[in-house]
Amino acid sequence: MVKIGVLALQGDVREHLAALVHSGVEAATVRRPAELDAVDGLVIPGGESTTIDKLTRIFELADPLKERIAAGMPVYGSCAGMIMLANEIADPATDRQGNPQQTLGGLDITVRRNAFGRQRESFETDLAFRGLEFSAAVAGTEPEPVHAVFIRAPWVERVGEGVEVLAQVLPEEASHTGTLHGTARIVAVRSRHLLATSFHPEVTGERRIHELFIRIVRGEA
């Protein structure tokens, strides 16, 4: 059995733990380098990317995380987790000294924080999602769409070579289409061992994203 950790510094940790256990793997919280060493893969949950950034450095996890990511450890980042995995933030927050927030990197993408709007502009929609063929009711048919919840969510503005786009929000699918300016926005990507979504599958009971990540950890996808 594989063991998957959830970075438990801030955010919706409990929901990810429950989703992983429901999907049939051992799950554990990760707050220290020794706990990181004990897992086969890691989930970085949604929350506040600036807070997660600061806490990874305070808990001396930033460098070990970067090293494991560079060495090929599978990581799934949702919402703030997507921001933490991005190589570049289009609109980084700055601290009182004017220093921009940091990321762990690994995904050759540029993200924009809170791109879909603030809390009151949260919305839900159904998405076509690549890579979920294993969940189709009948082999060879299209899987059911993913019901996605976007809460102060980022989107991806640039993908580099080797980054696969798994899902996009079309202008007509968002509740406040004006922010999309008539352009589909990338909300899920994968690059080899790294998976990221700008939405929260853990809050809706949608398990297939976690199941896809488990398959990545096991080398089956």
Side-chain angles (χ1 to χ4, degrees), residues 54-67:
K54 292 175 183 176
L55 291 175
T56 57
R57 288 181 274 137
I58 290 171
F59 281 76
E60 299 183 340
L61 272 168
D63 287 340
L65 281 166
K66 291 175 183 177
E67 290 170 3

Side-chain angles (χ1 to χ4, degrees), residues 28 56 62 76 79 82 85 110 129 132 134 136 155 162 166 173 192:
T56 57
Y76 166 45
C79 200
M82 170 185 272
L85 286 176
T110 301
F129 198 105
L132 301 183
F134 64 87
W155 65 44
L166 301 181
E173 294 172 338
R192 302 186 309 279

